[in-house]
Structures are given as structure tokens and as C-alpha cells.
Amino acid sequence: MLPTASFLELGSIFDNLCVEQFSFSVLYKDFCFVLVLSIFGINLSFSQDSLITVTAEKGDGILSLLRKQGMNPYERYDDFIAMNLDNLRDSVHLYEGRIYRIPFIEDDSVVVVDSLERQAKEIKKIEGEYHSIFGEGNETVLPKSEKLKGAVYYLVSGHGGPDPGAMANYAGKAIAEDEYAYDITLRLAKELLAHGATVYIIIRDENDGIRDDRILEIDHDEVAYGGKTIPLNQLARLKQRVNIVNQLHRKHLGQFQRLIVTHVDSRSKGQNIDVFFYHHEKSKNGKKLAESIHKTFQKKYKKYQPNRTYTGTFEDRTSLYLVKKTHPAMTFIEIGNIRNKKDQRRILDPDNRQALAKWISEGVLLDFEGGEIGPIR
């Protein structure tokens, strides 16, 4: 009998090999896995519980549903969507009362000949990287590809420390821009790391990590990269971020480098806005990055919300201090209006925050595939 760990190890290896070569559903991957084991001369049997279904209850999201099944929801999030895409609203929301398939669950009923253990030892083990910044239960980043290998990304979430940014009220509690911008930034960082990128998280909160709460508690203990205290004065705060990014940029001269700044806007309560993007007016690469993410959002809206027009734009906004002063090609993202009820749903729902990070990362991948290396912008 092969120990469960060894079986999981082989399964993880196969998943990574398949993802590199094909685009297919999880069911097909399971079939391929069995096929490869057969090629190795390995016989196995699965219990009927290997693939199960569950009914979504009121209040369930993908993350909470997977967590109820004893899974790490971030490791199986993409698999779940692939298996249930035709049964999801806007590609990320469950319908109450509908039945959903759960990704393959390994159990003790898997029977494998003893030779598998010897063969498994010859296969290189695929391990994730540990990053404590993502918080308990989210520290491990499992590799998805090496598509961003060699690329460097600087991620700056808006405000932080003594400045919470835009404020609003929800269900009788205060919510702050910096907490939601930071959570989306962490999720984006994890996506980029999974594709082999080097990632610098410039504004950091070692205590928060990725959070699946709707209301994110406000604190003021964020620091800048290197453990630097964030100044209260706005100009000093912006200069600090510019200096950190530009110093790191010099360190990585000659590499593909991009900066992504994430904010949540504040406007009148009645103004519902889409996600939109800014870039430097003279930055060809910055414009391409903004446009690539913008195109990804257009594509997603067209596919998952065909009855709604996406009105988000990308445009130059060189008047913004970080856009004007930082050296890497960059985009400045406004997620929505924190005071608007519809936009609040976009940031309060953890599944929405995960989807935003995922869509931004897909735009980043699109940009990198045709990107250019330049010393500045």
C-alpha cells in the first residue's frame, strides 16, 4: 500500500505537467491521471466517493463551500470553477439550491501496487513556496506555471498605516479602502508568484494575511517594505513609496519590471463605477499593461455578464504622483466606489476579491507574453 503522501505527490506532479500542455476540465485531468498510471503498469481502484456533489446553501460562496469539504479553497478554487462553469453566476457566484461538483478528493480507498512507491521516488517532488505574509492557511504557494519567470512585479495597495483611505459604512460598521485594497493585492501577489514571478509587496501587514470576511477589521499597523513606518503626511507617504520602488527598480535593471497600484475610489453614493486603469501618458509599456488588464475585464464581462455593458476605461493620468514619479512601467487601478452599494458588493464578497485578483493576473500574463524590457518605462 502506497502512503497517501506519495500518491498525492504523484498527483501534484501530474497536474503540473498537464496544465503546461493542455486546457481541460478537472474530470479530464482525473482521466489522464489514471491513464498515465496505467502506462506505468499501475493498477488502482477508486471508491465512489472520489467525486462528490454538494448543494449550495444560502450564504455559501466557492471559498466557504470548499472549506466545508475540508479543502484549502485557494488550492482548488480554479478546479472548482472549471468543473462548474456553466452553473455559476458571473463565473464566481453560486446559486442557492443548485448542485455543484467538488474536485477530486483523495481517500484511503486508493489501492496501488507496491511498485508505485518505488517509481514515485524517481519523480521529482513538486513543493510549494512558503510566504507567511499570506496568513494562516494561505502561506503555501503552489506552482501553476513558469510563465512569468524572470519578471518582477511591485504591488502597492493604497493608503495604510495612519491613513485608512476612503471610508464608508456597511451593516453599521466602518469599512476602509486600505483593508480591501490590501486583501486584493495579496491575492494578486499569490497568483503572480504561482506563475513564477518575483513579487515585492510594498505595503505590508504581517498580521492580516488573506481574509475571507466581508467586513475587514480596520487597523493601522501596516508598514512599508523594509519595515519602514508609513508617514502621516500624504506627500511624505507617496515619496516613501516612490523611493522604495525606484530603488528596487535599479536593483533589477535589465529585467522585465512592472508596477501595479491598487485603490478603491470614493464618490457620491449613487455613482456605480466599473474597474478602471490609469497609466503614464508617455509610457508605451504602461499603456500596454493597463490595456491588457482592461481587455481581460472586457472579455470576462462579455462572457459572464452579457446583458451588462462594461464601462471601465484605461487612460493616462500622469497627474497622479505615483504614476508620474515611479520608474517601472505601471498601471494604477481603481476597483470601484466604496460608498456605492453595488460597488461595495464587489469588494465585500471574498469570492469577488478573489475573482478581481484572478482577472488582473490574467491581464498581467497577457501583457508579459508580448511585453518589452526597458530601463525606464
Side-chain angles (χ1 to χ4, degrees):
M1 175 75 69
L2 176 69
T4 301
S6 298
F7 181 79
L8 295 178
E9 171 184 319
L10 187 59
S12 176
I13 295 166
F14 180 75
D15 279 347
N16 281 276
L17 291 174
C18 285
V19 168
E20 284 294 309
Q21 301 297 329
F22 303 98
S23 174
F24 44 56
S25 70
V26 173
L27 288 174
Y28 183 64
K29 285 199 291 183
D30 290 341
F31 168 77
C32 287
F33 182 52
V34 175
L35 180 62
V36 168
L37 291 180
S38 299
I39 293 172
F40 273 94
I42 299 163
N43 299 313
L44 50 78
S45 62
F46 295 94
S47 74
Q48 293 181 350
D49 293 330
S50 293
L51 182 66
I52 64 173
T53 60
V54 296
T55 301
E57 300 176 353
K58 184 176 181 180
D60 275 342
I62 295 175
L63 300 176
S64 61
L65 192 71
L66 291 175
R67 193 174 282 109
K68 287 179 181 178
Q69 305 306 312
M71 297 180 172
N72 183 324
Y74 297 102
E75 292 179 9
R76 308 315 298 266
Y77 185 86
D78 292 343
D79 290 343
F80 181 91
I81 290 178
M83 295 179 71
N84 297 282
L85 190 57
D86 294 336
N87 207 17
L88 296 172
R89 177 171 56 85
D90 301 341
S91 82
V92 293
H93 294 126
L94 305 177
Y95 289 98
E96 180 184 349
R98 289 195 183 181
I99 297 174
Y100 292 91
R101 291 179 291 179
I102 299 299
F104 175 75
I105 300 175
E106 299 84 0
D107 59 29
D108 294 334
S109 65
V110 178
V111 179
V112 188
V113 296
D114 291 339
S115 62
L116 175 58
E117 183 172 7
R118 293 192 297 272
Q119 294 175 24
K121 289 179 180 178
E122 300 175 1
I123 301 176
K124 183 179 179 181
K125 186 176 181 180
I126 303 295
E127 294 183 342
E129 292 185 352
Y130 181 88
H131 297 269
S132 61
I133 192 69
F134 297 126
E136 185 177 355
N138 294 302
E139 307 97 327
T140 303
V141 179
L142 297 177
K144 295 181 179 179
S145 77
E146 292 190 345
K147 292 180 179 179
L148 295 176
K149 186 175 182 179
V152 181
Y153 292 90
Y154 311 104
L155 306 184
V156 178
S157 55
H159 305 278
D163 176 21
M167 302 282 292
N169 289 300
Y170 177 81
K173 297 201 69 174
I175 56 175
E177 171 184 3
D178 68 326
E179 302 296 341
Y180 293 92
Y182 182 65
D183 190 74
I184 293 168
T185 295
L186 286 184
R187 295 168 189 269
L188 173 59
K190 194 168 184 180
E191 287 290 328
L192 300 182
L193 285 167
H195 288 290
T198 297
V199 179
Y200 290 94
I201 302 171
I202 304 303
I203 302 303
R204 309 170 65 86
D205 188 328
E206 303 296 337
N207 301 320
D208 283 348
I210 292 173
R211 293 175 283 177
D212 289 338
D213 305 300
R214 292 183 66 81
I215 297 178
L216 301 182
E217 294 294 332
I218 300 172
D219 60 29
H220 304 284
D221 59 350
E222 294 87 4
V223 297
Y225 182 81
K228 298 180 176 67
T229 300
I230 299 174
L232 176 61
N233 178 270
Q234 182 185 20
L235 182 58
R237 188 168 62 246
L238 295 175
K239 284 183 176 180
Q240 180 188 64
R241 296 171 193 207
V242 167
N243 290 337
I244 291 171
V245 169
N246 288 348
Q247 287 173 12
L248 290 170
H249 178 264
R250 288 193 292 272
K251 175 183 175 181
H252 291 282
L253 280 178
Q255 292 182 254
F256 183 100
Q257 303 185 58
R258 297 291 184 266
L259 165 64
I260 300 173
V261 180
T262 306
H263 277 256
V264 182
D265 207 349
S266 177
R267 305 188 182 194
S268 66
K269 291 183 179 180
Q271 191 170 1
N272 172 220
I273 62 174
D274 279 315
V275 182
F276 54 96
F277 313 91
Y278 298 137
H279 60 86
H280 193 287
E281 62 181 351
K282 295 182 179 178
S283 174
K284 180 179 68 173
N285 289 335
K287 179 180 179 181
K288 181 177 177 297
L289 173 61
E291 185 176 12
S292 296
I293 304 175
H294 179 260
K295 283 182 177 179
T296 300
F297 273 69
Q298 284 182 315
K299 179 181 177 181
K300 297 295 184 180
Y301 270 70
K302 184 176 181 180
K303 182 174 182 179
Y304 302 122
Q305 300 187 40
N307 297 322
R308 183 188 164 200
T309 302
Y310 174 62
T311 60
T313 61
F314 73 97
E315 58 189 75
D316 62 86
R317 187 62 67 88
T318 311
S319 59
L320 293 172
Y321 194 88
L322 262 66
V323 176
K324 184 177 182 179
K325 297 291 186 179
T326 50
H327 291 168
M330 65 92 71
T331 186
F332 187 110
I333 304 176
E334 291 281 10
I335 297 299
N337 178 8
I338 196 170
R339 301 181 66 199
N340 179 270
K341 295 300 181 183
K342 289 184 178 179
D343 282 357
Q344 281 183 352
R345 288 199 293 270
R346 181 184 299 146
I347 65 171
L348 291 174
D349 188 329
D351 285 315
N352 282 346
R353 298 198 296 271
Q354 183 65 24
L356 284 168
K358 177 72 172 174
W359 292 5
I360 294 170
S361 73
E362 289 182 20
V364 168
L365 284 164
L366 179 64
D367 169 67
F368 182 70
E369 289 171 357
E372 299 178 11
I373 297 176
I376 295 181
R377 296 205 179 275

